[in-house]
Amino acid sequence: MARSAVPLTESRIRQIRAPDKPTKLADGGGMYLLLRPDGSRYWRLDYRFDGKRKTLALGVYPEISLGEARRRRRAAKALLATGQDPGAVRKADKANKPGTGADEQAYALAMLGEGMWDWDLRSGRVRHNAQWAQLMGLDERQQEHDWQQAVAALHEQDREAVMTAIRHCLDGTAAFECEHRIRHADGATIWVRNRGEVMRRDADGTPLRMVGSLREVTEQRHEARVMRCHNLLLQTIAAVNEMLMQELPDQELMARICQELVRDNLFRMAWIGLIDDDGVTVRPVAEAGSVRGYLAQADIRCDDSPQGRGPTGKAIRSGITVINDDTETNRQFVPWRERARAQGYRSSASAPLRVNGRVIGALNVYSDEAHAFEPEKRILLEKLAADLGVAMGNRAALAALRESEERFRLISSVATDLLYSSLQTGTGFYAFDWATASADRIFGYTLDEILEQGCWRSYVHPDDLPEFDRNITHLAPGQRSECELRIIARDGATRTIRAYSMEVKSDDGQHRLYGACQDITERRQAEARIAYLAHHDVLTGLPNRVLLRDRFEQALAVAQRARSHMAVLFLDLDNFKVVNDSLGHAAGDELLLAAVSRLSHCMRDSDTISRQGGDEFVLLLNDIPDLDTVKRVATDILSHLAEPLEINGHVLNASCSIGVAIYPGDGSDFDSLLQKADTAMYNAKGAGRNSYRFFDEQMNQQAQEHLMLQHRLHQALYRAELQVHYQPQLEIGSGKVIGVEALLRWQNAELGEVAPDRFIPVAESCGLIVPIGAWVLEQACRQAQAWRQAGLADLAVSVNLSAMQFHRFSLVEMVAGVLGRSGLPPHLLELELTESILLQDVEGTLDTVRQLKRLGVRLSIDDFGTGYSSLSYLKRFAVDRLKIDQSFMRGVNTDPDNAAIVRAIIQLARSLRLDIIAEGVETPAQLAFLREEGCREAQGYLFSRPLPPAAMEAFLRERIAPAGAMNGAAL
């Protein structure tokens, strides 16, 4: 594959044509733009993780711009700096959920923004994620910094404004949001958007905690500045043209031009210098924006002396524009460097000033930014110098100046591929008398051949000749035109151009045409490609959501007139992710194409199949007579997709889940029907997959509840609504508290106390269980260690792990990090696993369990007996304790089956030399049964409800007494 090493720019990307073979355009840091022969362009990032070379997709160009791709590269590099695999983070959670790392609280906050900060106003410490530290130019390895370090990173010119905005926020008068600069230690400066709000105040209203986010906006600021500069350039051209037309005295004209150049900070300083009578000294005659007396003290010359080697002297001697891109790095600018610093400019440009062909001085402008003189500004400067020279040299040539201005406007308004002038012949057509050598790029003929031919009308596509005549042949004097034409080139290829023309009648009565042509062939081809991609899926060629919406509106109009029904089917392939992960994305693409082919056989020509992305499809059925028709179609789809399919030597059995919404019963607009079909599809998945469901209102209520809880959960950590309560675990024989179980509780201001069985499934379905579980583990270990340091006996703390935490998170590193930060001895931490965790990816799970055991932590099986109980995995996974589920305990005194199960579990644990604990013990009778059967440990409401930390500590102090005091205190 070819690779280019030239740095990327937006203009360069737009100019590059589709290659014959895949080509990589490198942009540094492992990022490149992948060009494919079909014209598609994809951002990619190559990186290494754990010794392996990997590639991360950053998006599709031009939907993802160069600036946005670079921002995504920086975000990926920030993840790598903290030991995370960007690809694993992307794969783990497509909805910007956190990745892995040492500081779980920081990653929980990172869900809400790129850089997150949490300022404790009492201690002055700022807790943050790695992205915030990177943006602030601080040490990314630290989890918190002092507030003064953050303030010191603020740009000195912005510091007071930022602090004022923060004070207003702390006073409660306004929310904190501002854009400002950050200066890094290496001198680099970036722009950021900083937001924050006070999250906690004491009873007197004094702010205690402020939380916010930080996002880099350097690219956005640059784009806005470029646009503003472009507008100012156009305004300056218009203003100077008006001055030139007024026939002002030379001195006043030059002074007003300098003032116009510094208006609205277009340039920092502007001045005009003329060569003195001695032919060497350059005398300033007009200036604006400079400190009074600055130019009077400057000794500027145009000979080859040291004073004549600056931009002004070189421009006058050479007769060409001289650019000084950076006063700090340009060695030839050393004599004037201190003056530049005092004036506050970093770059300058000098354009020679000519009168009747002789250089008489220079027009000079200065900017406070390095590399500020891009081609557009240079063109402006040279034009102003040229027009000023004409005005000063010959006021009688005003008409010629107007003509020059018109030509400049014509030329500068477009990026041209051909410039020409032509005279009207006796036939009424215009014949070239001058053209640029680039004409061959458009017509495929040499310049000599074109000049010999005369009028280029003969190259125009026959169908476009009327357009040519209207806009060029019959153009009246003084008129301008713009049109689009097709050209038949020498090789027979058709190219599309945009032609700009202006007809001028000279004093001798001749009609002259000035023109410019821009080749827009590739633009039109790209627009056609973009138009197609805007309405179709790239892989399958099916209509996307945009085109589906249009088809729906057309079908809806027909259905409303005919009073007929329509059906929207939302289809999702079951277990598609498994195919992608195990066989690769190429196999996944083949499966999608095969599914499309089979779906097509189940649909009528008048129906629409649309791919929404990933493994999701939407089917639109028009003019359906009854629900039985929809059922037959859905059943037919399930049947066709279930047929075996061979891909790369693997026989796959695909299936899908389908949700159905009917017009008009379930809704009368596209969005509501699509949403309800989506809801019904998820209901079909929940019912076991490979089935279809029609929407009903109960599904809608469940979906809204799920969405509401998911949204509130996103804010719960941010607003400190989650708490960890602790339920004691006791030794039945002695009554001694031997440990506690950490249990999550959620107290929401609007919902009140939300039951765990209501919000935990939501957290697991959306992936929030990962940061929440990490936060619970951190809190539980810190609390257990705090009790130890407070003089309480060593207590084991049990923490539940979800399957998602176990299989999609760097669990071992996270547990080791928590133990290290909290100081809790590993043997006092018990991780509770479910049987389903151990049965998924047995070999991978076994490796993780072994690493956890090497850390020294204990493992228990939660809710033992409710899943797939196996004696072999109890031995292989070296668990330490079994936990009898409370569902068995409820009927242990009344249900013989429950009693037999509990008795068998206790005997099993004793035989395998495992500890055993029963949860959900609520009555003395249950406790007596356990004591009789030989169960040694128990927990439940009979002893205590889950308690917040302070109440739990009081409970412990009552129960845990000095040695000897517990004798006889058995339960």
Side-chain angles (χ1 to χ4, degrees), residues 55 120 141 201 268 358 371 423 541-542 563 684 804 836 861 963:
T55 299
D120 186 340
R141 294 168 296 182
R201 298 177 184 270
R268 187 174 182 85
R358 182 172 61 89
H371 303 280
L423 285 170
L542 293 175
R563 296 185 178 181
M804 187 176 296
S836 61
I861 305 299

Side-chain angles (χ1 to χ4, degrees), residues 298-314:
D299 182 13
I300 304 173
R301 305 166 71 86
C302 61
D303 58 3
D304 198 26
S305 65
Q307 292 80 12
R309 294 173 186 168
T312 303
K314 291 177 66 175

